Amino acid sequence: FTDGSGQPLGFGTSMFMALPDPNISIPPGNWALKRFARSSGELRLPLAERVRCERRAPGVASLPWSPDTQNTARAINGGILAIAIEEAALSLATAPRAGVQTLSSLVIRYLRSVRTGPAMATASISNGLGQVEVVDASNDALCVASTVRLFDA
């Protein structure tokens, strides 16, 4: 990602898990590119609020399963799970003793789907480096292991 003058602002990577059902596929064509080619303005609500992700305690965030957050396999979408990870980490990063910090990197390892939920994200941070684990609260299965890096805002 670059700014208007071509200077790097950041970078990103992604990884996707294969869906075990061969009957589910992405529609052909470039429909997604066309849909997002035009900006529709600012969000009406913060994204975390829109998906009902809540900070439950310092270092803990909860994200409920809902039709709005599900993917084609009826599990919570992995990109939406990243919101819970971010909220859990930032709830510690903005604690009074920490000063104000923001995320500089986020690495996500998807281990299994959150099928029932809610997804519970629990963070621990030391010296700007943190670990966030996400479990499916319906069965306490570890679903995501994540590493975060913070910096002073």
Side-chain angles (χ1 to χ4, degrees):
F1 301 104
T2 58
D3 64 13
S5 66
Q7 293 296 313
L9 295 173
F11 62 92
T13 60
S14 63
M15 178 177 68
F16 295 89
M17 293 180 72
L19 189 60
D21 184 349
N23 296 317
I24 298 175
S25 63
I26 296 173
N30 61 356
W31 60 272
L33 295 175
K34 288 178 183 176
R35 179 164 189 251
F36 296 108
R38 291 182 311 276
S39 171
S40 57
E42 292 183 16
L43 296 175
R44 293 185 186 116
L45 292 171
L47 194 51
E49 186 177 332
R50 180 176 175 168
V51 298
R52 298 187 347 250
C53 183
E54 298 177 355
R55 293 180 182 185
R56 297 294 177 114
V60 179
S62 173
L63 175 69
W65 181 96
S66 75
D68 291 336
T69 62
Q70 72 177 352
N71 58 23
T72 56
R74 299 187 46 81
I76 297 179
N77 179 289
I80 302 296
L81 285 173
I83 295 169
I85 295 166
E86 183 177 11
E87 289 295 307
L90 290 177
S91 71
L92 287 177
T94 57
R97 69 187 186 303
V100 177
Q101 295 181 314
T102 189
L103 288 178
S104 62
S105 73
L106 172 63
V107 177
I108 302 172
R109 303 273 189 264
Y110 296 99
L111 307 173
R112 68 178 69 219
S113 299
V114 178
R115 297 222 171 258
T116 304
M120 297 297 295
T122 304
S124 60
I125 298 174
S126 178
N127 298 317
L129 182 63
Q131 176 180 341
V132 184
E133 293 184 341
V134 179
V135 299
D136 186 332
S138 70
N139 58 16
D140 281 334
L142 179 62
C143 298
V144 176
S146 181
T147 303
V148 297
R149 189 81 172 143
L150 299 130
F151 64 92
D152 292 336

